[in-house]
Amino acid sequence: MMEMSCAEHHNYAAASQFITLTVGRVLGALKLESTPINTTGYEALLGLVENTSSGDSFDLYYELFMHHENALEILERLGLAFDALKNQLFGYLHQFVGNQLFGNGNADKVAAPLQEDQNGTALVSSSTSKAMGWQNAAQPQDHKAQISDRFVDKSRLKIAIVGFGNFGQFLAKTMVRQGHLVLAYSRSDYPNVAQKLGVSYFSNAEDLFENRPEVVLICTSILSTEKVLRSLPLQRLKKNTLFVDVLSVKEFPRNLLLQNLPLDCDILCTHPMFGPESGKNGWNGLPFVYDKVRVGGDESRVSRCNKFLDIFAREGCKMVEMSCAEHDMHAAESQFITHTVGRVLGKLGLKSTAVDTNGYKTLLSLVETTAGDSFDLYYGLFLYNMNAMEQLKMLDMAFESLKKQLFRRLHGVIHNQIFEETPDKSQVMQ
Ligand code: NAP
C-alpha cells in the first residue's frame, strides 16, 4: 500500500508505463513463439507480450499516450536508440566487408574491429597457425605438469579453459567449487583473477597443454574462435582429449571443431543458456543444451563426457540434448531479439521508480542481463543468425506501424474537433 498524490503518481508511472506498453506492443507484432530452450530473458519478453498486447486494449495505450506530455519524446528516443544500435552493427559489418574486399578476408579480419576497446595482446602466435598431427605429440612434461601427477581423483576432471573472459571465469567458479582442477589461458593476462578463483593460470597455450588436460573448454568469443582454435598447439595434448565449446551459436563451432581437430579427439558442443547475470543465483532449472558430436565408444571416453555434463546436471540445469542445427533453429532468433531489445532499452537509461509495474521490472532486468554481455557477443549473434537483418527490419516495421496507429487516431480526433465539435477552430489548430 502506497499513499501518494496523483501528481507524484504521474511523475513516477507515466513514462515507465508508456515505455513498457510500447515495447510489449512492438514485440507483440512480431508474433514471438516459445521454444523448448527459452532463456530467462526471452521468457520475460514473452511474458511482457502476453501482459501488454493480449490483455490491455489499444484504448488504454492510447490514453497513456495522450495524457503523458513526454510520450512523443519517448517514442522519439526509442527510435533513436534503435537507430544507434543498428548503426553500430552496420558499422562493424561495413568494416568486416571492407576487410574482406581490401584485406586478406581471413578469419583474423572478422575480429579486427572488435578489438578496439580490448587491451590484451593477441592470443594467436603466428608461428602456430595450423593444428599439427598427433604423431608429433607429447613432449616430456616440464615442471608445470606436476599438477597432472598430483591429480589422481578419478571422479574429478582436469579442465583447461581457453578464453578466460566474463563467461570463462563464471563457469570456472562452479567447476572449482565442485572440486575439478581448472587451468586457464586467455589472450589477456588474468593471473590475479585466476588465483582468487582457485584456477591455475598460464600465459601461453603451450604450457597449458603440457599439463595434459582431459577436457579443453573453448570459451572464446564467437568471432575469435576460429583464429584461436587454429593457433592451439594440439600436438601437446593427450591423444583423445575431449573438446567442449560453449558458444552461443552451435552449427558454426561444430563445423569448426570437426574440420580442425584430429579424428582422435572427442567433441561435445554445448550452450549453457544463461550468463553471469541470469545465473548469478544458481543454475537450477536453467537450460543447458548439448550435442555429443563425436564421442569415442570406449568406456573411459563416454564416462569423461558424462562427467563433464554432470557439472551442469548437478547444479540442477534443465539438460536438453539436441543437435546443433536444431539449437540454432530455436535459439538464433530468440537470442538476437532479446539482446536487441535489451540493448535498445539500455541506451534509454531507464531507472527504477517507487511504483514499478511487473512489466517495467521485466524491462529493467532485461537491460541488466544484457548490459553485462560484450558487444562482441551480440555482434556474433547478429553475424551468425541468417535472419538477423530480417528481424531488425521486422522490429523497425512493428515500431513504425505502432506509431502510425497512434498518430492516425490522434489525427482522427483532431480532425473531428476541427470540423465537427469545436466552435473556435483556430484554438485547436494552435
Ligand atoms: P565474449 O566477448 O563473447 O568473449 C570473450 C572471450 O573471448 C574472452 O575470453 C576474450 O579473451 C576472448 N577473445 C575475444 N577476442 C579475441 C581474440 N581476437 N583473440 C583471442 N581471444 C579473444 O564474452 P563472454 O561473455 O566471455 O563469452 C564467451 C563465450 O561464451 C562466447 O562464445 C559466448 O557466445 C558464450 N556464452 C556466453 C554467455 C554469456 O552470458 N556471457 C552465455 C552462454 C555462452 P580476453 O578476455 O583474454 O581478451
Side-chain angles (χ1 to χ4, degrees), residues 38-62:
N38 294 340
T39 57
T40 318
Y42 189 62
E43 288 273 356
L45 287 192
L46 293 175
L48 186 69
V49 171
E50 196 165 323
N51 285 342
T52 47
S53 36
S54 49
D56 297 337
S57 65
F58 185 76
D59 284 1
L60 171 70
Y61 177 59
Y62 178 73

mmCIF file of all heavy atoms in Angstrom, residues 38-62:
data_model
loop_
_atom_site.group_PDB
_atom_site.id
_atom_site.type_symbol
_atom_site.label_atom_id
_atom_site.label_comp_id
_atom_site.label_asym_id
_atom_site.label_seq_id
_atom_site.Cartn_x
_atom_site.Cartn_y
_atom_site.Cartn_z
ATOM 1 N N ASN A 38 14.017 -21.745 -24.055
ATOM 2 C CA ASN A 38 13.966 -20.297 -23.811
ATOM 3 C C ASN A 38 14.982 -19.869 -22.760
ATOM 4 O O ASN A 38 15.131 -20.527 -21.740
ATOM 5 C CB ASN A 38 12.588 -19.908 -23.262
ATOM 6 C CG ASN A 38 11.493 -20.133 -24.278
ATOM 7 O OD1 ASN A 38 11.760 -20.229 -25.476
ATOM 8 N ND2 ASN A 38 10.269 -20.216 -23.804
ATOM 9 N N THR A 39 15.650 -18.740 -23.009
ATOM 10 C CA THR A 39 16.477 -18.158 -21.944
ATOM 11 C C THR A 39 15.538 -17.386 -21.009
ATOM 12 O O THR A 39 14.381 -17.115 -21.357
ATOM 13 C CB THR A 39 17.493 -17.144 -22.512
ATOM 14 O OG1 THR A 39 16.771 -16.138 -23.228
ATOM 15 C CG2 THR A 39 18.495 -17.798 -23.430
ATOM 16 N N THR A 40 16.077 -17.001 -19.841
ATOM 17 C CA THR A 40 15.260 -16.229 -18.901
ATOM 18 C C THR A 40 14.816 -14.926 -19.548
ATOM 19 O O THR A 40 13.671 -14.486 -19.381
ATOM 20 C CB THR A 40 16.091 -15.900 -17.641
ATOM 21 O OG1 THR A 40 16.828 -17.058 -17.280
ATOM 22 C CG2 THR A 40 15.236 -15.448 -16.497
ATOM 23 N N GLY A 41 15.737 -14.302 -20.298
ATOM 24 C CA GLY A 41 15.415 -13.023 -20.944
ATOM 25 C C GLY A 41 14.282 -13.172 -21.945
ATOM 26 O O GLY A 41 13.374 -12.342 -21.996
ATOM 27 N N TYR A 42 14.335 -14.238 -22.725
ATOM 28 C CA TYR A 42 13.308 -14.441 -23.749
ATOM 29 C C TYR A 42 11.959 -14.760 -23.097
ATOM 30 O O TYR A 42 10.918 -14.267 -23.522
ATOM 31 C CB TYR A 42 13.746 -15.556 -24.698
ATOM 32 C CG TYR A 42 12.853 -15.684 -25.919
ATOM 33 C CD1 TYR A 42 12.714 -14.644 -26.828
ATOM 34 C CD2 TYR A 42 12.146 -16.861 -26.168
ATOM 35 C CE1 TYR A 42 11.891 -14.751 -27.943
ATOM 36 C CE2 TYR A 42 11.329 -16.988 -27.283
ATOM 37 C CZ TYR A 42 11.204 -15.932 -28.165
ATOM 38 O OH TYR A 42 10.396 -16.047 -29.272
ATOM 39 N N GLU A 43 12.011 -15.564 -22.040
ATOM 40 C CA GLU A 43 10.773 -15.857 -21.279
ATOM 41 C C GLU A 43 10.140 -14.546 -20.815
ATOM 42 O O GLU A 43 8.918 -14.370 -20.875
ATOM 43 C CB GLU A 43 11.088 -16.679 -20.021
ATOM 44 C CG GLU A 43 11.480 -18.125 -20.252
ATOM 45 C CD GLU A 43 10.271 -19.046 -20.313
ATOM 46 O OE1 GLU A 43 9.164 -18.556 -20.098
ATOM 47 O OE2 GLU A 43 10.463 -20.244 -20.605
ATOM 48 N N ALA A 44 11.007 -13.641 -20.362
ATOM 49 C CA ALA A 44 10.497 -12.357 -19.858
ATOM 50 C C ALA A 44 9.824 -11.578 -20.985
ATOM 51 O O ALA A 44 8.762 -10.979 -20.779
ATOM 52 C CB ALA A 44 11.647 -11.551 -19.257
ATOM 53 N N LEU A 45 10.425 -11.607 -22.172
ATOM 54 C CA LEU A 45 9.811 -10.896 -23.299
ATOM 55 C C LEU A 45 8.449 -11.495 -23.641
ATOM 56 O O LEU A 45 7.486 -10.777 -23.898
ATOM 57 C CB LEU A 45 10.697 -10.977 -24.547
ATOM 58 C CG LEU A 45 11.978 -10.148 -24.571
ATOM 59 C CD1 LEU A 45 12.563 -10.119 -25.980
ATOM 60 C CD2 LEU A 45 11.719 -8.726 -24.122
ATOM 61 N N LEU A 46 8.383 -12.826 -23.635
ATOM 62 C CA LEU A 46 7.110 -13.478 -23.948
ATOM 63 C C LEU A 46 6.043 -13.074 -22.927
ATOM 64 O O LEU A 46 4.887 -12.804 -23.276
ATOM 65 C CB LEU A 46 7.280 -15.004 -23.961
ATOM 66 C CG LEU A 46 8.162 -15.589 -25.078
ATOM 67 C CD1 LEU A 46 8.339 -17.091 -24.889
ATOM 68 C CD2 LEU A 46 7.577 -15.300 -26.463
ATOM 69 N N GLY A 47 6.458 -13.015 -21.655
ATOM 70 C CA GLY A 47 5.528 -12.627 -20.589
ATOM 71 C C GLY A 47 5.044 -11.199 -20.808
ATOM 72 O O GLY A 47 3.858 -10.892 -20.630
ATOM 73 N N LEU A 48 5.967 -10.346 -21.203
ATOM 74 C CA LEU A 48 5.631 -8.936 -21.423
ATOM 75 C C LEU A 48 4.599 -8.801 -22.538
ATOM 76 O O LEU A 48 3.626 -8.060 -22.424
ATOM 77 C CB LEU A 48 6.908 -8.186 -21.810
ATOM 78 C CG LEU A 48 6.782 -6.685 -21.952
ATOM 79 C CD1 LEU A 48 6.552 -6.048 -20.583
ATOM 80 C CD2 LEU A 48 8.042 -6.092 -22.588
ATOM 81 N N VAL A 49 4.811 -9.563 -23.614
ATOM 82 C CA VAL A 49 3.872 -9.513 -24.746
ATOM 83 C C VAL A 49 2.494 -9.958 -24.278
ATOM 84 O O VAL A 49 1.476 -9.322 -24.578
ATOM 85 C CB VAL A 49 4.358 -10.424 -25.897
ATOM 86 C CG1 VAL A 49 3.293 -10.537 -26.967
ATOM 87 C CG2 VAL A 49 5.656 -9.887 -26.485
ATOM 88 N N GLU A 50 2.494 -11.025 -23.507
ATOM 89 C CA GLU A 50 1.208 -11.548 -23.057
ATOM 90 C C GLU A 50 0.477 -10.510 -22.187
ATOM 91 O O GLU A 50 -0.709 -10.285 -22.341
ATOM 92 C CB GLU A 50 1.426 -12.841 -22.275
ATOM 93 C CG GLU A 50 0.140 -13.599 -22.127
ATOM 94 C CD GLU A 50 0.399 -15.022 -21.690
ATOM 95 O OE1 GLU A 50 1.403 -15.611 -22.151
ATOM 96 O OE2 GLU A 50 -0.396 -15.516 -20.868
ATOM 97 N N ASN A 51 1.229 -9.870 -21.309
ATOM 98 C CA ASN A 51 0.591 -8.888 -20.410
ATOM 99 C C ASN A 51 0.107 -7.661 -21.142
ATOM 100 O O ASN A 51 -0.913 -7.087 -20.784
ATOM 101 C CB ASN A 51 1.598 -8.392 -19.360
ATOM 102 C CG ASN A 51 1.836 -9.435 -18.316
ATOM 103 O OD1 ASN A 51 1.033 -10.357 -18.184
ATOM 104 N ND2 ASN A 51 2.932 -9.332 -17.596
ATOM 105 N N THR A 52 0.870 -7.233 -22.138
ATOM 106 C CA THR A 52 0.543 -5.947 -22.735
ATOM 107 C C THR A 52 -0.390 -6.040 -23.924
ATOM 108 O O THR A 52 -1.366 -5.316 -24.009
ATOM 109 C CB THR A 52 1.823 -5.196 -23.163
ATOM 110 O OG1 THR A 52 2.651 -6.103 -23.858
ATOM 111 C CG2 THR A 52 2.543 -4.634 -21.982
ATOM 112 N N SER A 53 -0.077 -6.961 -24.867
ATOM 113 C CA SER A 53 -0.918 -6.880 -26.063
ATOM 114 C C SER A 53 -2.165 -7.729 -26.002
ATOM 115 O O SER A 53 -3.164 -7.390 -26.610
ATOM 116 C CB SER A 53 -0.116 -7.167 -27.327
ATOM 117 O OG SER A 53 0.834 -8.127 -27.104
ATOM 118 N N SER A 54 -2.116 -8.843 -25.237
ATOM 119 C CA SER A 54 -3.341 -9.635 -25.273
ATOM 120 C C SER A 54 -4.369 -9.125 -24.270
ATOM 121 O O SER A 54 -5.555 -9.099 -24.548
ATOM 122 C CB SER A 54 -3.029 -11.113 -25.042
ATOM 123 O OG SER A 54 -2.208 -11.246 -23.932
ATOM 124 N N GLY A 55 -3.894 -8.629 -23.088
ATOM 125 C CA GLY A 55 -4.843 -8.211 -22.061
ATOM 126 C C GLY A 55 -5.361 -6.795 -22.256
ATOM 127 O O GLY A 55 -6.563 -6.552 -22.249
ATOM 128 N N ASP A 56 -4.436 -5.862 -22.461
ATOM 129 C CA ASP A 56 -4.829 -4.450 -22.459
ATOM 130 C C ASP A 56 -5.352 -4.017 -23.823
ATOM 131 O O ASP A 56 -4.853 -4.430 -24.857
ATOM 132 C CB ASP A 56 -3.615 -3.581 -22.099
ATOM 133 C CG ASP A 56 -3.118 -3.886 -20.697
ATOM 134 O OD1 ASP A 56 -3.921 -4.394 -19.904
ATOM 135 O OD2 ASP A 56 -1.931 -3.636 -20.432
ATOM 136 N N SER A 57 -6.334 -3.115 -23.769
ATOM 137 C CA SER A 57 -6.893 -2.634 -25.033
ATOM 138 C C SER A 57 -5.984 -1.561 -25.620
ATOM 139 O O SER A 57 -5.169 -0.957 -24.919
ATOM 140 C CB SER A 57 -8.262 -2.017 -24.768
ATOM 141 O OG SER A 57 -8.082 -0.871 -23.963
ATOM 142 N N PHE A 58 -6.153 -1.318 -26.898
ATOM 143 C CA PHE A 58 -5.382 -0.248 -27.528
ATOM 144 C C PHE A 58 -5.795 1.100 -26.934
ATOM 145 O O PHE A 58 -4.988 2.013 -26.822
ATOM 146 C CB PHE A 58 -5.577 -0.264 -29.052
ATOM 147 C CG PHE A 58 -4.696 0.743 -29.748
ATOM 148 C CD1 PHE A 58 -3.336 0.500 -29.912
ATOM 149 C CD2 PHE A 58 -5.207 1.947 -30.195
ATOM 150 C CE1 PHE A 58 -2.500 1.442 -30.515
ATOM 151 C CE2 PHE A 58 -4.380 2.904 -30.804
ATOM 152 C CZ PHE A 58 -3.028 2.633 -30.970
ATOM 153 N N ASP A 59 -7.085 1.198 -26.509
ATOM 154 C CA ASP A 59 -7.570 2.438 -25.893
ATOM 155 C C ASP A 59 -6.715 2.832 -24.693
ATOM 156 O O ASP A 59 -6.362 3.985 -24.519
ATOM 157 C CB ASP A 59 -9.017 2.257 -25.399
ATOM 158 C CG ASP A 59 -9.985 2.282 -26.569
ATOM 159 O OD1 ASP A 59 -9.506 2.426 -27.710
ATOM 160 O OD2 ASP A 59 -11.203 2.153 -26.327
ATOM 161 N N LEU A 60 -6.407 1.824 -23.863
ATOM 162 C CA LEU A 60 -5.619 2.111 -22.666
ATOM 163 C C LEU A 60 -4.261 2.693 -23.063
ATOM 164 O O LEU A 60 -3.796 3.686 -22.500
ATOM 165 C CB LEU A 60 -5.427 0.825 -21.856
ATOM 166 C CG LEU A 60 -4.435 0.935 -20.691
ATOM 167 C CD1 LEU A 60 -4.996 1.800 -19.586
ATOM 168 C CD2 LEU A 60 -4.096 -0.435 -20.147
ATOM 169 N N TYR A 61 -3.662 2.051 -24.050
ATOM 170 C CA TYR A 61 -2.347 2.506 -24.514
ATOM 171 C C TYR A 61 -2.459 3.931 -25.069
ATOM 172 O O TYR A 61 -1.646 4.806 -24.783
ATOM 173 C CB TYR A 61 -1.832 1.526 -25.582
ATOM 174 C CG TYR A 61 -0.513 1.928 -26.194
ATOM 175 C CD1 TYR A 61 0.630 2.094 -25.408
ATOM 176 C CD2 TYR A 61 -0.408 2.133 -27.575
ATOM 177 C CE1 TYR A 61 1.841 2.464 -25.973
ATOM 178 C CE2 TYR A 61 0.802 2.505 -28.149
ATOM 179 C CZ TYR A 61 1.915 2.663 -27.338
ATOM 180 O OH TYR A 61 3.109 3.039 -27.899
ATOM 181 N N TYR A 62 -3.506 4.156 -25.835
ATOM 182 C CA TYR A 62 -3.700 5.463 -26.463
ATOM 183 C C TYR A 62 -3.914 6.550 -25.404
ATOM 184 O O TYR A 62 -3.399 7.664 -25.501
ATOM 185 C CB TYR A 62 -4.894 5.384 -27.429
ATOM 186 C CG TYR A 62 -5.202 6.697 -28.095
ATOM 187 C CD1 TYR A 62 -4.369 7.193 -29.094
ATOM 188 C CD2 TYR A 62 -6.313 7.445 -27.715
ATOM 189 C CE1 TYR A 62 -4.645 8.415 -29.696
ATOM 190 C CE2 TYR A 62 -6.591 8.663 -28.316
ATOM 191 C CZ TYR A 62 -5.753 9.142 -29.305
ATOM 192 O OH TYR A 62 -6.024 10.341 -29.889
#
